């Protein structure tokens, strides 16, 4: 019996093969192996009734000259093949083999909590929220104590050895609060357990005796206000984190700028500036020629005042930017009421907002709490609180960021629409193939693939420069990602042009007027001197070890309840607006929305 000329289609190519009807399926597969490089065991050849088996007698197929076979399969060792194994570039290490410090440094690991040392939740929640500022941790790591105390290296003078690993470094002596914070954050980075902040607590009480106040019952220490602890810690850092040893910057010639060296880290990253206008409310003063007094001031936080009319954060901030002051009028020679209006001329990268929930209640001689519900946004637009000059700098950048976001959302929606359409198309064609029988199913599938390849080629540019669109030319995920990357790159260039040179030169300033919520200190209870403080810090995306960039965030938050650390969903944050004695936000820490140009920094 003579050989029969047949055609084998594989990956869009047609192979002319002489089939020997007296042979078996295995022999035919070895013929195809010599043509395609696909090993016989990896070949799937479609025939009437199913797949060609090794022991199939080819004469039973009754193949006629010109018959077309469909073959599927890829050679082993080809890139993208499922069975290609590569030696790991880095040695695989299991969590069980790591030290406690190594496990704590893994990206996404549960962060360390802080033990409650007796009504110290106010301090713990403050420290956990401040810890989310990476620039602060970098600055602290470079800090050198002028007194030499608080140094975790070397044995203590008492001969007890290095006690810093137990939170006791410098215990019993005058401790530098900033050095104590530096050491505490370093120790927290090396554990996932609840850490006892004894050294820092000792430094805080030594620096500010108000936090060493005893409880009225005579047992232990009294509860304190977390906002007061926040303000005092920030004040101390403002004094210490400056000078040649901390944050000194060099110019292009390598020489440090004295002006930059003296700028406090807090002033750079957490402090803003006001333009103020003080004017007498009485018309008689104006008629007598008293002029409004213009001035400048700095701020470390914006206050959100709460009254019966305040329902949202922006309303409370507006109320806080306008205050009444009673002072002597030199023109009228008596006390008068003045209105002080403030407008922001500079916003820092990190913005602290304080809900003024506590007030002194004379009847009970304690700080009572305003329970009113006041909502706050995850993204805060601060343009309305700025001077006209600053608005003109921020708004173009803000609007461009929103435009870029819309473009990215459009790309994602287009990808989803295409996937739905493609899935429906494949479902229809699958039903069509199934109806035609198994012998033609593979043939039609390969023809469909070849047709799509040809359609893709037809969609390329013609000599006239126009592009012919075809219905079958669907974009792949890679093409969508490339399109998104190109869009972001173009946005970077446009945003760089829109950023005002004055703001571009200010590394620690907000350049868009948009802030994203990153941390919250909450209080539960009816007064500042009682109840319980906790904090929430938003989880960051996983960092790519190759590029150093962080991926998209999943929206979850870490809840720090002293030494207990729990992951909670974003919906939990919506319940912190107040309205009762349950957890309500007291301090919000916002971070400037990063510009695309900043993402690669």
């Amino acid at each position: 019996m003579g050989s029969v000329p047949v055609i084998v289609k594989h990956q869009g190519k047609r192979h002319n093969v002489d089939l020997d009807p007296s042979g078996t399926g295995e022999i035919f597969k070895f013929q195809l192996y010599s043509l395609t490089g696909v090993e016989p065991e990896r070949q799937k050849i479609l025939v009437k009734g199913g797949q060609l088996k090794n022991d199939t007698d080819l004469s039973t197929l009754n193949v006629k000259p010109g018959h077309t076979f469909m073959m599927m399969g890829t050679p082993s060792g080809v890139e993208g093949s499922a069975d290609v194994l590569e030696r790991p570039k880095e040695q695989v290490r299991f969590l069980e083999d790591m030290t406690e410090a190594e496990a704590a440094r893994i990206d996404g690991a549960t962060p360390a909590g802080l033990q409650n040392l007796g009504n110290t939740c106010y301090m713990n929640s403050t420290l956990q929220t401040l810890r989310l500022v990476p620039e602060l941790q970098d600055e602290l790591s470079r800090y050198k104590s002028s007194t030499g105390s608080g140094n975790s290296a070397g044995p203590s003078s008492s001969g007890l050895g290095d006690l810093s690993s137990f939170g006791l470094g410098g215990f019993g002596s005058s401790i530098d609060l900033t050095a104590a914070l530096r050491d505490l954050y370093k120790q927290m980075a090396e554990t996932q357990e609840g850490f006892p902040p004894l050294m820092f607590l000792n430094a805080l009480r030594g620096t500010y005796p108000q936090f060493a106040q005893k409880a009225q019952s005579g047992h232990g220490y009294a509860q304190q206000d977390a906002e007061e602890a926040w303000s005092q810690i920030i004040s101390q850092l403002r004094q210490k984190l400056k000078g040649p040893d901390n944050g000194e910057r060099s110019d292009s010639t390598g020489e440090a700028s004295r002006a930059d060296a003296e700028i406090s880290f807090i002033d750079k990253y957490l402090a803003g500036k006001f333009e103020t206008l003080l004017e007498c409310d009485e018309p008689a003063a104006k008629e007598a020629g008293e002029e409004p007094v213009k001035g400048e001031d700095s701020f470390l936080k914006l206050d959100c005042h709460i009254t019966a009319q305040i329902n949202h954060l922006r309303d409370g901030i507006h109320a806080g930017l306008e205050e009444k002051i009673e002072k002597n009028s030199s023109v009228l020679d008596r006390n008068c009421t003045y209105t002080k209006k403030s407008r922001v001329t500079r916003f820092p990268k990190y913005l602290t907002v304080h809900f003024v929930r506590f007030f002194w209640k004379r009847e009970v001689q304690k700080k009572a709490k305003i329970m009113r519900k006041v909502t706050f946004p995850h993204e805060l637009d601060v343009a309305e609180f700025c001077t006209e000059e600053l608005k003109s700098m921020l708004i173009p950048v803000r609007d461009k960021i929103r435009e870029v976001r819309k473009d990215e959302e459009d790309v994602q929606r287009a990808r989803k629409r295409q996937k739905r359409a493609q899935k429906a198309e494949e479902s229809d064609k699958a039903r069509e193939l199934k109806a035609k029988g198994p012998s033609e199913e593979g043939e039609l599938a390969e023809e469909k693939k070849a047709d799509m390849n040809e359609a893709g080629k037809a969609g390329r540019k013609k000599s006239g420069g126009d592009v012919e669109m075809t219905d079958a030319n669907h974009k792949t995920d890679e093409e969508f990602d490339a399109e998104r990357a190109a869009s972001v790159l173009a946005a970077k260039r446009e945003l760089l042009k829109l950023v005002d040179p004055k703001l571009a030169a200010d590394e620690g300033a907000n350049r868009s007027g948009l802030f994203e919520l990153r941390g919250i200190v909450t209080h539960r209870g009816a007064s500042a001197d009682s109840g319980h403080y906790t904090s929430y810090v938003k989880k960051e995306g996983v960092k790519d070890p190759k590029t150093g960039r962080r991926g998209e965030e999943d929206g979850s938050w870490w809840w720090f309840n002293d030494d207990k650390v729990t992951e909670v969903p974003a919906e939990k944050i919506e319940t912190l607006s107040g309205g009762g004695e349950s957890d309500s936000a007291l301090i919000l820490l916002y971070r400037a929305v990063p510009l695309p140009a900043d993402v690669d920094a």
Side-chain angles (χ1 to χ4, degrees), residues 320-331:
L321 293 177
E322 186 171 316
E323 58 180 320
K324 298 293 184 179
I325 299 174
E326 186 174 335
K327 63 183 290 288
N328 183 267
S329 170
S330 58
V331 173

Side-chain angles (χ1 to χ4, degrees), residues 330-341:
S330 58
V331 173
L332 300 180
D333 195 25
R334 58 181 172 82
N335 284 349
C336 299
T337 301
Y338 285 74
T339 298
K340 182 181 179 182
K341 296 180 180 179

Side-chain angles (χ1 to χ4, degrees), residues 46 100 153 200 219 318 341 484:
L46 302 178
E100 182 181 3
F200 184 84
H219 301 289
H318 270 300
K341 296 180 180 179
R484 183 181 180 185

Side-chain angles (χ1 to χ4, degrees), residues 135-414:
E135 294 89 347
L136 175 59
Q137 298 206 46
D138 292 341
E139 196 74 12
L140 286 169
S141 67
R142 295 192 291 268
Y143 176 74
K144 297 177 183 178
S145 175
S146 58
T147 62
S149 62
N151 189 351
S152 59
S156 65
S157 58
S158 63
L160 295 176
D162 182 11
L163 300 178
S164 64
S165 61
F166 302 99
L168 291 165
F171 190 77
S173 62
S174 176
I175 303 176
D176 182 342
L177 185 71
T178 304
L181 184 61
R182 174 199 63 199
D183 294 342
L184 176 62
Y185 281 165
K186 181 181 178 182
Q187 292 151 359
M188 291 174 67
E190 296 177 350
T191 183
Q192 291 180 276
E193 302 297 327
F195 190 82
L198 291 171
M199 174 184 171
F200 184 84
L201 179 61
N202 185 51
L204 180 66
R205 287 173 175 168
T207 307
Y208 300 105
Q210 69 191 82
F211 297 109
Q213 179 185 356
K214 296 288 186 176
Q216 291 182 354
S217 63
H219 301 289
Y221 291 90
Q223 177 68 285
Q224 300 289 339
D225 187 344
E227 188 277 327
E228 290 182 2
W230 179 289
S231 297
Q232 298 289 31
I233 292 170
I234 290 294
S235 175
Q236 188 69 197
L237 295 176
R238 192 180 193 184
Q239 296 176 35
K240 295 289 186 177
L241 293 183
K242 60 182 178 181
D245 290 335
N246 303 284
E248 181 177 298
R249 303 293 182 264
S250 299
D251 58 20
S252 58
T253 64
E255 296 180 358
S257 167
R258 289 186 179 180
D260 287 343
E262 292 303 320
I263 294 177
S264 167
F265 170 85
I266 297 299
D267 287 331
K268 183 175 182 180
Y269 286 101
L270 283 95
K273 294 180 180 178
F274 281 137
E275 178 182 277
T276 61
L277 183 68
L278 184 64
E279 189 173 14
C280 185
D281 291 352
E282 296 192 21
K286 299 177 183 178
E287 294 170 0
E290 182 171 323
E291 294 291 332
V293 178
K294 294 183 179 180
E296 294 181 354
D297 201 357
S298 62
F299 65 89
L300 296 173
K301 66 180 186 298
L302 290 182
D303 286 330
C304 174
H305 288 261
I306 302 176
T307 65
Q309 291 74 40
I310 302 298
N311 296 308
H312 191 269
L313 178 70
R314 60 178 297 276
D315 301 323
I317 293 177
H318 270 300
L321 293 177
E322 186 171 316
E323 58 180 320
K324 298 293 184 179
I325 299 174
E326 186 174 335
K327 63 183 290 288
N328 183 267
S329 170
S330 58
V331 173
L332 300 180
D333 195 25
R334 58 181 172 82
N335 284 349
C336 299
T337 301
Y338 285 74
T339 298
K340 182 181 179 182
K341 296 180 180 179
S342 302
R343 286 293 176 266
V344 179
T345 58
R346 179 194 186 265
F347 269 108
K349 182 174 182 179
Y350 293 91
L351 174 65
T352 304
V353 180
H354 169 223
F355 287 95
V356 186
R357 289 195 174 275
F358 300 128
F359 67 98
W360 183 255
K361 199 168 185 179
R362 294 181 180 178
E363 306 91 89
V364 292
Q365 290 293 297
K366 64 169 57 176
K367 287 183 179 179
K369 182 178 179 181
I370 301 173
M371 305 290 187
R372 185 174 180 80
K373 180 178 180 179
V374 180
T375 59
F376 52 89
H378 283 266
E379 182 173 280
L380 179 64
D381 182 355
V382 296
E384 60 186 306
F385 311 125
C386 302
T387 60
E388 293 301 320
E389 180 183 3
L390 185 56
K391 276 185 185 179
S392 65
M393 298 180 189
L394 298 178
I395 289 178
V397 182
R398 178 202 68 185
D399 292 347
K400 185 62 183 177
I401 287 177
R402 289 174 173 170
E403 180 184 329
V404 171
R405 287 176 180 172
K406 184 178 181 302
D407 291 343
E408 289 187 342
E409 289 171 0
D410 290 343
V411 171
Q412 291 298 326
R413 281 196 291 267

